[in-house]
Amino acid sequence: MKAEIIAVGSELLLGQITNTNAKFISAKLAENGIDVHYQTVVGDNPARLDEVLEIAKKRADVLIFTGGLGPTKDDMTKETIVKHLGTTLVSDDEALLYIQQYFERSGREMTENNKKQALVFKGATVLPNRKGMAPGMAVEKDGVRYVLLPGPPHEMEPMFIDEAIPYLLGVLGKIEVITSRVLKFYGIGEAELEYRIQPILERQTNPTVAPLATSDAVTLRLTAKAESIDEALKLIAPVEEEIRSIVGEYIFGTDEDTLASKAADLLIGKGWTISAAESLTAGLFMAELAGESGISSSLEGGVVVYNERTKTEQLGIDTDLLDEFGVVSAECAAALAANVKRKFGTDIGVGLTGAAGPDPHDGKPSGTVWIGIAMKDMEPETYKLLLSGSRNVNRLRAARFALFYLIKHLTER
Amino acid sequence: MKAEIIAVGSELLLGQITNTNAKFISAKLAENGIDVHYQTVVGDNPARLDEVLEIAKKRADVLIFTGGLGPTKDDMTKETIVKHLGTTLVSDDEALLYIQQYFERSGREMTENNKKQALVFKGATVLPNRKGMAPGMAVEKDGVRYVLLPGPPHEMEPMFIDEAIPYLLGVLGKIEVITSRVLKFYGIGEAELEYRIQPILERQTNPTVAPLATSDAVTLRLTAKAESIDEALKLIAPVEEEIRSIVGEYIFGTDEDTLASKAADLLIGKGWTISAAESLTAGLFMAELAGESGISSSLEGGVVVYNERTKTEQLGIDTDLLDEFGVVSAECAAALAANVKRKFGTDIGVGLTGAAGPDPHDGKPSGTVWIGIAMKDMEPETYKLLLSGSRNVNRLRAARFALFYLIKHLTER
């Protein structure tokens, strides 16, 4: 089965938005063994969409459309395709009811043009929209499948996963299930990770092992096909174990884990409290943790001490220590961690200091960072980073390395 | 002139990366008055790229290709197009020298396949690559222009701006210049902004006035065409003035300004110091400010006080005040601002408290936020927000509203 993804929307051609839908759909189709041969973008223009249809149906078996299902005059995806296929639009009772209820809930008057959103192709499989009003739909004509999805990603993405993928797998008559497990790494580059597990990467077919670097982590996706989820997991387990035996020290979590969510889960699970003293990151570490719901039982607070005066006045860092070692030092990071822990009366204290860049700071080159972590009843331990990014990349990476080292401390105890 | 953007790369079809190049090129072409009718993505597959070429050259006057100019076997864009056009590849001396120098500088051995990168179409205009090795090129055949650009955005973007745009404007024989000025808004939605300046939007042709909402601001781009930049700016000025007379209260900056950069510029310019006490944002406000280079002369630091205990113990917030008004209140925000200002000895103190969500906090519904700003020698002023986003959208918007109100205070004095 060959797929083409067709996004409809002049805002894409004007460069006002990025076609993230194409990436999302492509990735999910790849996971499910369906090849994408083309992605096409066309404006809100019936004649040009018709030409795109004519080309696409000759070179693909399934055409996936995004956008143009809304109530306005610009929205002409359904009307153009229905004309091309020579079928008709009928109002879907369930979709209409849903739209009416939507307006009732929000206390607004439903205008006539909103009824247009409930129109679907005659005989189509309706794909319910749980996050918005316009339903999606799927229909077959002359061996080609046409799948229509709304444009807004927060509506399209759940509809694609929950409705369109099962529809396509049903068409393919696939009885096998596909299950993935994602291992998440920090502190190791994608190239080095690939190098170190090269034999595994080359050998695997089921599960496949696919590396991918995202902005906040390097990941390995292990994907197995089998007749049941249990069997697929059984295929994944020994390969995961082998990977862990080689590069396990860099793994901080799995699947949907982020550094912040993993650290928060561990803190909340142990019932331990934490505070932080931040210099170069100026609150980023605490702000990342605070993004996790439920963290208020562990995160008590902390201080941002952005210059030497506040480090000494607000946190009692010894001026002799700063004179001898400087503010970008293991000694300063350890004192930040120990003092904030004491001042806030928490189980854990974290200290961050460094030269974010672009200029050197206190004689240390841009990118030099020291992290201190003071665990319950223990002397602070310190970690040095030498980062090479821009000012704000360095600041974000410093905060994330602190989360990574914190996770290591929390899992070791 | 009608353009089609063709991205070549299987990594796009596998959903491993997003086609941000298409957005960038589309936006720049729109600014320069060139319409994009299609965006196409095709894999590293000569037969399919050849078919795409055949279709595109019939429906567009300029085809802009990204990707596939590198040294590896996968890179086949040049080879496929050269065959299609029936021309030949020749080595470009300047490009080859540049590649050789690149390897000498990095102390690595230049392998034979790297010479492939210096091959360009016979008779083509070579577009130098100042950020990487593979040059771009532009050539005309049967009235259609073929522009080839490298795939990595950090190489493609400067090449497109500095080389490809002047080439295209030269082809068009355009002597006019195009100049834009961007007005940046906060605290007003895109729909309301459009509604309030509707007569201006409908009337304007030169300058054009285009609204656009991005993740951190709503913007209006005023774009004028004239024979010189001075004349274009003279066309823009009265329209900008008219817009400011209607919705000026929401404008925080222009062009490349962000909320954080504008606030930092004003603080540094006045030589004023600032500190903050953050509850729901947990450091986000300070971290946004600290992203600006040079801010260390103004940002002294602050505290994150994430629960009631730390608010009273670390910042001396009166327990009676919290009992009477609660932590999510104007009174608490004002006290946070005043107390952190006094404690850190700064000119300005900012306080943030609220219910980030998803649950209500201290009896206040999710999304309720209070911001306090204590300026030099003044009583704190407070602002209430009622936000409706997710937890982290609310936290980020709270921090940005605080920057917005701070900018208003700084520009009024």
Side-chain angles (χ1 to χ4, degrees), chain A residues 134-174:
Chain A
M137 66 204 75
V139 72
E140 185 266 334
K141 175 91 193 272
D142 301 332
V144 178
R145 307 276 161 173
Y146 299 78
V147 180
L148 279 68
L149 305 168
H154 75 279
E155 297 180 22
M156 186 284 291
E157 292 179 6
M159 187 188 292
F160 190 72
I161 298 287
D162 298 336
E163 309 291 341
I165 286 281
Y167 168 83
L168 292 171
L169 293 181
V171 168
L172 288 170
K174 280 202 181 185

Side-chain angles (χ1 to χ4, degrees), chain B residues 67-102:
Chain B
L69 304 186
T72 74
K73 267 187 298 181
D74 282 350
D75 296 305
M76 33 53 73
T77 305
K78 281 190 296 197
E79 292 69 11
T80 307
I81 299 176
V82 87
K83 213 187 252 179
H84 192 95
L85 299 182
T87 174
T88 52
L89 287 168
V90 293
S91 185
D92 183 68
D93 290 346
E94 214 172 307
L96 187 60
L97 186 68
Y98 186 80
I99 294 167
Q100 282 164 342
Q101 285 169 345
Y102 183 94

